[in-house]
Amino acid sequence: VLQSSSSLKASYEDWLLTYGLSISPFHIRWQTAVFNRHFYNWGRWKPRFLYLWFSIGMVFGIVAMFGSVILLGKTLMQTLTQMLTEAPKAQNDRMLQVVVSILSSGLYLRVVPGVNLPVSQLTYFFSAILISGVIHEVGHGVAAIREQVRFNGFGIFIFIVYPGAFVDLFTTHLQLISPVQQLRIFCAGVWHNFVLGVASFIVLLLLPAILFPFYYTGVGALVTEVAEDSPANGPRGLFVGDLVTNLQDCPVYSVEDWNTCLEDISEKSQVGYCLSAATLQQLSFPARVYRRLDGTVECCSNNSLTDICFSYSNNLDSHLYACLPARKVIEASKVCRTNMDCQKDSVPSFCVTPSLENQTRLIRVKHPPHIDMLYVGHPMHLQYTVSLSSFVPRQNFLNIDLPVVIETFCKYLISLSGALAVINAVPCFALDGQWILNSFLEATLSSLIVEKQNRELVGFLILLAGSALLAANVALGLWMVTAR
């Protein structure tokens, strides 16, 4: 609208030029020369070290270019295989797929903000993208100055909702330097992303040691958040600041233990509890027994919030049921699988097991000094609605969320910086891989293919294939997300 106005067009364009802004549909870009002095200082710092640094980066970039093609090809084949072999029901239940293929711990993930990325983690996501992009472009800029290429400026952009960065280099200087020098510049971005990912991984690995003066670990899983709709919510549930030490007879020393224990409880059959014959007779009361649709048995009133139907066996009848108060049965009871586990001092005892629906478990959660929480439901519901940390503050004034914030941000940096390294290394039009490939062909094929036009044709065909491979991965990733 402003550009179509004859009276406002000139002043609007002057305003954009003054502030280094460029605005177009879905795209805003800002460029400045404020940081040029810093870039020149970095590019002239220890020339021999920088030469070695960017030479290693050049080797990494070339290897990454070939590796990214193999990785994308493998991912494409795996996705096609899954599409052809999975039943529709299994496809609906499977983990959400990728729009952008990103490298994380050797695995490809597919991430769409607001679809399979929680809204609460969008700050981590976009911050990690921006930092990864800035480090990527700093690599290009410093390498260019090291190779005597004029540096015009640095900028930041937002495309739709995704932030990024760029550097403006003098094109004529780029064209005049040798192909090997060009490779050092073009490979510097993916090299710096790789280094950032490795550095973040080291910080994540050493985080317990780094935070040791302020937080200690190995004593349990600290509750940092309980969702409002969580089954763990309530007067006898979990609260922020509680320290979980046990799930059933499974000890919990960290968040990883919490997840492992819940998975084991989910996969294994429900454990029972030792109860003497006298106590069983005292606590039980007459109840009607009926079978549910899934074949399991219920013997308590549907209105009861404290009683659970327990099954047990004796020498006369292998299937007996009793409606018992859950807390009285579990507290001061030994966990068991069979009656043999309960034999003690010749006192007749039975292993009573909760008779629950399939996949439902009765779980005893210890979080001293509070009374144990008794949870009835699917173990994964507990896992998804309770957030925990392995770090326990040494002082009350320390924030319990800080270690989680650092840990989560490191994981996003590893993932998204790795993503930029992999994707930009692909020999594809408009990505770093295009310029890496062209310089690589010029450096290696000039003696074999004398005509430059023929070398450019070879490069064009490879770029076409690489672009098709990347586009196929993105298209199938989108399809896998929306097909559910």
Side-chain angles (χ1 to χ4, degrees):
V1 172
L2 291 171
Q3 286 182 336
S4 63
S5 172
S6 56
S7 58
L8 296 175
K9 181 180 180 181
S11 58
Y12 170 67
E13 289 179 346
D14 288 342
W15 179 80
L16 291 178
L17 187 63
T18 302
Y19 290 98
L21 291 171
S22 174
I23 301 175
S24 58
F26 309 110
H27 187 263
I28 299 176
R29 193 167 84 160
W30 170 72
Q31 181 175 336
T32 181
V34 171
F35 304 107
N36 285 21
R37 179 177 296 179
H38 297 290
F39 273 91
Y40 276 102
N41 289 337
W42 296 334
R44 291 165 181 167
W45 176 77
K46 295 187 181 299
R48 289 186 178 180
F49 171 78
L50 289 180
Y51 173 80
L52 180 61
W53 176 259
F54 289 117
S55 294
I56 295 172
M58 177 184 67
V59 174
F60 173 81
I62 294 170
V63 172
M65 180 179 64
F66 290 104
S68 64
V69 172
I70 297 171
L71 212 51
L72 283 180
K74 186 178 178 181
T75 304
L76 182 63
M77 294 303 297
Q78 288 177 345
T79 306
L80 287 172
T81 303
Q82 289 173 351
M83 289 172 59
L84 295 174
T85 57
E86 285 184 349
K89 182 177 180 181
Q91 272 191 340
N92 289 336
D93 292 339
R94 76 194 301 272
M95 203 172 183
L96 294 181
Q97 296 297 312
V98 180
V99 172
V100 182
S101 296
I102 66 176
L103 190 66
S104 174
S105 301
L107 300 175
Y108 273 91
L109 307 175
R110 290 174 167 84
V111 175
V112 185
V115 178
N116 61 347
L117 180 70
V119 175
S120 61
Q121 306 225 340
L122 289 180
T123 303
Y124 296 111
F125 182 77
F126 289 119
S127 299
I129 286 181
L130 180 60
I131 290 174
S132 299
V134 168
I135 295 299
H136 180 100
E137 296 303 327
V138 166
H140 286 312
V142 174
I145 292 170
R146 167 65 184 78
E147 301 299 337
Q148 305 299 316
V149 174
R150 195 173 81 188
F151 182 87
N152 296 326
F154 169 82
I156 293 174
F157 68 87
I158 298 176
F159 177 66
I160 306 179
V161 295
Y162 292 94
F166 65 92
V167 288
D168 182 14
L169 305 177
F170 192 53
T171 308
T172 305
H173 284 184
L174 265 176
Q175 294 171 343
L176 291 175
I177 60 178
S178 69
V180 174
Q181 290 177 298
Q182 292 175 358
L183 276 172
R184 291 195 193 99
I185 296 172
F186 296 140
C187 292
V190 298
W191 169 238
H192 273 214
N193 280 135
F194 173 75
V195 172
L196 176 62
V198 171
S200 302
F201 179 75
I202 292 172
V203 171
L204 185 64
L205 205 63
L206 299 178
L207 195 58
I210 295 171
L211 297 179
F212 181 78
F214 311 102
Y215 299 85
Y216 57 90
T217 58
V219 294
L222 185 71
V223 178
T224 58
E225 184 183 0
V226 181
E228 290 185 6
D229 58 346
S230 172
N233 225 334
R236 290 193 174 181
L238 296 175
F239 295 90
V240 174
D242 287 355
L243 190 66
V244 177
T245 58
N246 281 83
L247 291 172
Q248 302 286 47
D249 57 341
C250 183
V252 174
Y253 301 107
S254 64
V255 176
E256 289 74 20
D257 292 336
W258 161 275
N259 294 328
T260 302
C261 290
L262 285 177
E263 289 172 6
D264 289 343
I265 291 171
S266 178
E267 292 171 1
K268 296 177 181 177
S269 59
Q270 173 70 55
V271 297
Y273 303 89
C274 292
L275 201 65
S276 66
T279 307
L280 177 61
Q281 186 176 5
Q282 179 185 356
L283 294 177
S284 64
F285 52 87
R288 183 181 175 184
V289 176
Y290 65 91
R291 292 190 176 276
R292 302 187 185 94
L293 294 176
D294 62 357
T296 55
V297 173
E298 177 60 84
C299 62
C300 290
S301 169
N302 290 333
N303 298 323
S304 175
L305 297 177
T306 59
D307 302 331
I308 290 178
C309 183
F310 286 83
S311 66
Y312 64 99
S313 62
N314 58 21
N315 296 329
L316 301 176
D317 192 337
S318 59
H319 296 287
L320 293 176
Y321 300 92
C323 186
L324 303 169
R327 189 168 293 277
K328 289 184 179 180
V329 171
I330 292 176
E331 288 179 348
S333 295
K334 177 185 174 184
V335 173
C336 59
R337 292 285 178 182
T338 65
N339 288 341
M340 294 295 294
D341 298 331
C342 301
Q343 301 305 320
K344 182 181 180 182
D345 300 331
S346 302
V347 177
S349 298
F350 301 100
C351 184
V352 296
T353 306
S355 179
L356 302 170
E357 296 177 87
N358 289 341
Q359 303 302 318
T360 302
R361 299 286 185 271
L362 170 61
I363 304 174
R364 181 183 186 181
V365 182
K366 292 187 178 183
H367 54 124
H370 307 288
I371 189 171
D372 295 349
M373 181 186 80
L374 301 185
Y375 167 79
V376 179
H378 197 292
M380 293 301 105
H381 293 166
L382 194 60
Q383 186 177 24
Y384 294 145
T385 58
V386 178
S387 300
L388 303 106
S389 171
S390 300
F391 296 85
V392 181
R394 294 184 182 273
Q395 302 295 334
N396 292 331
F397 65 85
L398 292 171
N399 193 325
I400 63 174
D401 292 321
L402 180 60
V404 178
V405 170
I406 298 173
E407 194 174 30
T408 306
F409 188 62
C410 284
K411 289 178 181 178
Y412 271 94
L413 276 179
I414 295 167
S415 299
L416 296 171
S417 192
L420 281 178
V422 172
I423 299 303
N424 272 288
V426 178
C428 171
F429 292 109
L431 295 178
D432 286 350
Q434 175 181 357
W435 315 112
I436 293 173
L437 176 69
N438 289 339
S439 300
F440 178 74
L441 294 179
E442 285 296 319
T444 56
L445 295 183
S446 56
S447 58
L448 296 175
I449 304 176
V450 180
E451 294 291 334
K452 186 175 181 179
Q453 187 175 358
N454 293 336
R455 293 197 300 272
E456 290 176 349
L457 178 61
V458 172
F460 174 79
L461 294 175
I462 295 174
L463 289 172
L464 198 61
S467 301
L469 180 61
L470 181 59
N473 271 274
V474 172
L476 286 180
L478 277 171
W479 187 89
M480 294 299 280
V481 169
T482 56
R484 68 189 182 97

